Amino acid sequence: MSITYDDFAKLDIRVAKIISTERIPGKTKIIKGVIDLGDQSRSLIIGGAQYFTPEELVGKTVIAITNLEPKTVGGVESNAMLLAADLNDKPYWLTVDSDVPTGTKIK
């Protein structure tokens, strides 16, 4: 399925830094995280928790879609989505290869 450039342009994709994480009681595949977007922070759900500890993610620079509708998962409201390559259900977080300030728009 193809989308138009105008559809893609509606996505607000930004550089973010994971600033905190915590386990969600009773959940093994997701954790709660908070990302820094430069001018604000957002809480979100991070998948793939069976492959890493929450502490391993803190400080990582990631790419996030920031204008999706909020969604509640595991009792936690998620206000962004991290982009990742998916290999055998394991996420590999997309990032940038140099020091790009948090909040920088991806286009």
Side-chain angles (χ1 to χ4, degrees), residues 37-56:
L37 292 166
D39 62 345
Q40 63 179 292
S41 60
R42 298 266 183 100
S43 63
L44 74 161
I45 295 298
I46 301 172
Q50 67 272 37
Y51 298 107
F52 48 79
T53 65
E55 298 78 19
E56 288 177 278

Side-chain angles (χ1 to χ4, degrees), residues 7-81:
D7 289 335
F8 174 78
K10 292 176 187 175
L11 297 174
D12 187 3
I13 307 171
R14 298 190 178 265
V15 175
K17 185 168 290 229
I18 300 173
I19 57 175
S20 70
T21 57
E22 63 184 80
R23 294 212 179 274
I24 302 169
K27 302 296 180 186
T28 59
K29 294 185 178 184
I30 59 173
I31 61 172
K32 178 181 177 181
V34 177
I35 55 173
D36 174 18
L37 292 166
D39 62 345
Q40 63 179 292
S41 60
R42 298 266 183 100
S43 63
L44 74 161
I45 295 298
I46 301 172
Q50 67 272 37
Y51 298 107
F52 48 79
T53 65
E55 298 78 19
E56 288 177 278
L57 293 176
V58 174
K60 290 199 178 289
T61 299
V62 292
I63 306 302
I65 299 176
T66 63
N67 64 336
L68 294 174
E69 281 185 1
K71 182 176 182 177
T72 300
V73 180
V76 176
E77 185 174 271
S78 189
N79 294 292
M81 177 189 290

